[in-house]
Amino acid sequence: MKRFLALTFAAVMLLSGCGKNNCGDDDADEKSDSASVSEDGDDNERPDKDVDDESSDNDGESKSRDFDEVRMRRCRYTIEAAEKPEVIAVELSGSCTGSEIHETNFKNLYGVNVLHSGVVGLVGAPVETDFSPEIEDARLTFYYVPEELRGIPETNLIGLHYNDEQSCYDEIMNVVLDTENCTVSMNIEENGVYMLADAFQWLGCWGFDVSEYAYDANPANYTSDWERECDTGSIMALADKEWAAENGPYFAVSTPAELAGAVYYVNALANGSEYVKIKLLNDIDLSGYDWKPMGWYNGSSHAFNGEIDGGGHTISNMTIDCAGESDIGFIGYGTGVSVRNLNMVNADVSGQIRVGILGGELYMNEVWENITVSGRITAGSTIDCGAIVGRESGINFKNSSFDVTVNGEPFEYFSYRQKKIAETEVVEAFTLTQNEDGSITRDDVEGYWNIGWYILRDGDLILHRSADDELTLPAEYCGRGDTIYLTAYIDGEYIRVSNIITR
């Protein structure tokens, strides 16, 4: 899976009081395609229209100007963000006096700042402005592409500004929408982070009545964020988008095409907000396909949340080639996932970190049972690599087995967490005592962090909660036959640090 890089696209623009100035004079060759400066021009010109920086008489000669005269200047920055193509340019206009050159900076924050990149309903890339305080009456204009709005009505476009002091987003009032020139303009009083958003999604997520912004857009008719940002391999060539939209979130699959449809639904339509069920009805051979992980993360979660029931069937010959990328496996990034009755045979998976045959990075997981896995993993780093799952926070593998190599060497653990636990020396620093009333008391030992009560019942984890401020575990938590001990956070994992009591 292709993950976008956290690159900063910055352009330096110059606002001056008079005379001819090319925007970014010092690097004109590099920046001429990204920015332009004009004087007293039409504020709503499209970014691809020629801009003349120099005013002239009818005979073409340049006019001289008094340095103290107020001048209007504007600077444009072309945004090159294939992942968020809705906005193609931003422009700052303002007035200034004198001959001093005033510098203005824009920075594209998409993929650079996780918070701003994950704003609900974000349209285009968020940008950060940095202009001189001598520039007055500053006005910021976003140039958008209607065809890239994916069904969002142009009248839904609103402006947001990140309030650093309050750590929140403020909606900018009195924005001006120009549908003829495809611009949204707003007066701004300070530097900061600005962006466009869909009012239906943004206001709706805060509980406001958004009936006036409602629209009917089938997301399957548009290019999803996943398709924009990731290498989709063979998935989109196989998947029937309409079939996926009609059948989700519950899938009964028999063919590679139907399985690809489920992957598309999870990665493009569910966006981590739906519980998805996948049941195999037949064995599925993925020979010859460039398969890609189901569930991904790009600053906001597009996790697979749900369950897979293999029905005793086999997925064979899966090849996932994502060398240099993270969260790689049949499930790439997941939360609250359960898997059962599934065989994965002769899989070949490549990634950088957090790599496993069946899962890359998974959290808040349940019991995984009746699973067999065989295959090869090639990883740039063996940290967070596992035979079945790379990184996981507490999967209980039951009646499961594997035959997997990592970088050519046999791997002996279901996950990297289990490898770390097995290789970390257990020191029973704490002593647990069972009391007559059924409660469990621990002693107080310094030097350990995140101490927790850990209770297993019939092999399943039923309780793992903080014991930092609790010396006695009440009896109601302890059942007959339970296995009880303390854990502490040591070198990235929760390790047993006490004796074991069996009720």
Side-chain angles (χ1 to χ4, degrees):
M1 179 176 69
K2 182 177 68 179
R3 303 286 296 274
F4 56 81
L5 300 176
L7 298 178
T8 301
F9 298 93
V12 176
M13 278 64 94
L14 304 178
L15 295 180
S16 71
C18 74
K20 182 176 181 179
N21 285 291
N22 290 322
C23 191
D25 253 349
D26 293 338
D27 299 295
D29 290 339
E30 292 182 9
K31 298 170 182 173
S32 59
D33 292 336
S34 300
S36 57
V37 174
S38 68
E39 176 182 62
D40 299 321
D42 179 3
D43 284 341
N44 289 323
E45 286 178 335
R46 294 291 301 194
D48 53 356
K49 189 172 182 178
D50 291 336
V51 179
D52 186 3
D53 174 73
E54 186 176 70
S55 71
S56 62
D57 291 317
N58 292 334
D59 60 6
E61 294 182 1
S62 180
K63 291 182 179 180
S64 62
R65 299 267 191 186
D66 188 317
F67 281 0
D68 292 329
E69 185 178 348
V70 175
R71 298 286 183 267
M72 291 298 299
R73 287 290 187 273
R74 55 183 174 153
C75 283
R76 263 188 206 131
Y77 167 42
T78 299
I79 299 176
E80 298 178 358
E83 303 91 348
K84 300 297 289 183
E86 299 98 326
V87 172
I88 57 173
V90 290
E91 177 181 277
L92 181 73
S93 61
S95 61
C96 52
T97 60
S99 60
E100 181 182 355
I101 293 177
H102 303 300
E103 186 176 85
T104 297
N105 297 303
F106 288 111
K107 185 183 294 183
N108 173 1
L109 296 181
Y110 191 73
V112 178
N113 183 288
V114 172
L115 176 67
H116 304 317
S117 299
V119 165
V120 174
L122 179 67
V123 176
V127 296
E128 184 175 23
T129 66
D130 181 13
F131 58 88
S132 170
E134 284 77 17
I135 299 171
E136 299 177 349
D137 302 321
R139 188 167 182 80
L140 185 65
T141 299
F142 288 82
Y143 290 83
Y144 65 89
V145 181
E147 295 77 15
E148 296 288 356
L149 293 180
R150 297 186 289 194
I152 298 172
E154 293 169 87
T155 52
N156 276 21
L157 297 177
I158 59 174
L160 300 178
H161 169 237
Y162 184 69
N163 187 323
D164 278 311
E165 292 184 0
Q166 300 296 323
S167 298
C168 66
Y169 294 94
D170 295 329
E171 182 182 352
I172 300 173
M173 299 292 103
N174 302 317
V175 300
V176 177
L177 171 68
D178 182 348
T179 57
E180 180 179 352
N181 290 288
C182 303
T183 63
V184 178
S185 301
M186 58 202 74
N187 295 324
I188 61 174
E189 298 179 352
E190 60 183 331
N191 283 307
V193 177
Y194 296 87
M195 65 198 72
L196 295 184
D198 170 20
F200 180 74
Q201 297 180 62
W202 171 252
L203 298 177
C205 80
W206 295 105
F208 290 98
D209 179 7
V210 291
S211 55
E212 65 176 298
Y213 300 109
Y215 56 95
D216 184 16
N218 182 357
N221 293 333
Y222 304 97
T223 303
S224 67
D225 287 345
W226 177 60
E227 294 167 88
R228 285 176 173 177
E229 300 184 26
C230 301
D231 176 4
T232 62
S234 299
I235 301 299
M236 295 314 301
L238 285 168
D240 183 330
K241 297 170 77 170
E242 291 297 334
W243 179 88
E246 291 173 2
N247 283 269
Y250 306 122
F251 295 94
V253 301
S254 301
T255 66
E258 291 175 345
L259 188 59
V263 173
Y264 162 75
Y265 185 89
V266 170
N267 289 348
L269 304 184
N271 290 327
S273 62
E274 291 185 87
Y275 191 85
V276 178
K277 295 182 179 180
I278 300 173
K279 183 174 179 60
L280 268 62
L281 302 181
N282 288 307
D283 294 344
I284 297 178
D285 186 353
L286 297 181
S287 296
Y289 297 115
D290 179 14
W291 208 254
K292 295 301 173 183
M294 176 170 61
W296 60 293
Y297 186 86
N298 69 335
S300 59
S301 177
H302 303 268
F304 172 60
N305 172 229
E307 61 186 71
I308 300 173
D309 183 355
H313 295 292
T314 299
I315 297 175
S316 59
N317 306 311
M318 177 185 72
T319 298
I320 297 178
D321 185 3
C322 294
E325 300 174 18
S326 58
D327 302 344
I328 306 302
F330 181 70
I331 303 167
Y333 184 81
T335 59
V337 177
S338 65
V339 182
R340 61 184 180 273
N341 308 322
L342 178 64
N343 307 305
M344 300 283 289
V345 176
N346 194 34
D348 193 345
V349 177
S350 299
Q352 177 64 26
I353 191 172
R354 301 191 292 275
V355 184
I357 298 292
L358 194 47
E361 183 175 13
L362 297 108
Y363 297 102
M364 299 180 293
N365 302 293
E366 303 177 10
V367 174
W368 289 29
E369 57 185 333
N370 303 325
I371 297 167
T372 62
V373 170
S374 68
R376 298 160 300 283
I377 292 173
T378 303
S381 170
T382 57
I383 296 176
D384 283 332
C385 285
I388 295 182
V389 176
R391 174 184 288 181
E392 50 88 11
S393 60
I395 296 176
N396 182 13
F397 295 97
K398 301 178 69 173
N399 192 32
S400 298
S401 62
F402 57 87
D403 180 10
V404 174
T405 61
V406 175
N407 294 340
E409 299 294 330
F411 198 84
E412 301 178 355
Y413 303 96
F414 288 101
S415 68
Y416 187 75
R417 181 182 69 89
Q418 296 202 358
K419 178 178 184 292
K420 285 290 295 294
I421 291 173
E423 294 178 347
T424 301
E425 181 183 2
V426 173
V427 177
E428 295 184 355
F430 293 82
T431 299
L432 301 187
T433 303
Q434 183 171 326
N435 304 312
E436 291 184 0
D437 63 358
S439 63
I440 306 293
T441 298
R442 71 171 180 86
D443 53 359
D444 195 6
V445 179
E446 295 183 353
Y448 290 86
W449 298 92
N450 294 331
I451 304 166
W453 298 107
Y454 201 89
I455 302 180
L456 297 170
R457 181 172 297 164
D458 297 326
D460 296 335
L461 177 64
I462 64 167
L463 178 71
H464 190 194
R465 79 172 192 181
S466 175
D468 284 331
D469 300 316
E470 186 177 52
L471 294 177
T472 300
L473 180 67
E476 57 261 32
Y477 291 101
C478 310
R480 184 175 299 276
D482 287 355
T483 298
I484 304 169
Y485 54 86
L486 285 177
T487 63
Y489 197 66
I490 301 173
D491 194 21
E493 300 296 343
Y494 286 96
I495 306 297
R496 181 169 67 86
V497 290
S498 76
N499 59 308
I500 298 173
I501 287 183
T502 301
R503 291 291 303 271

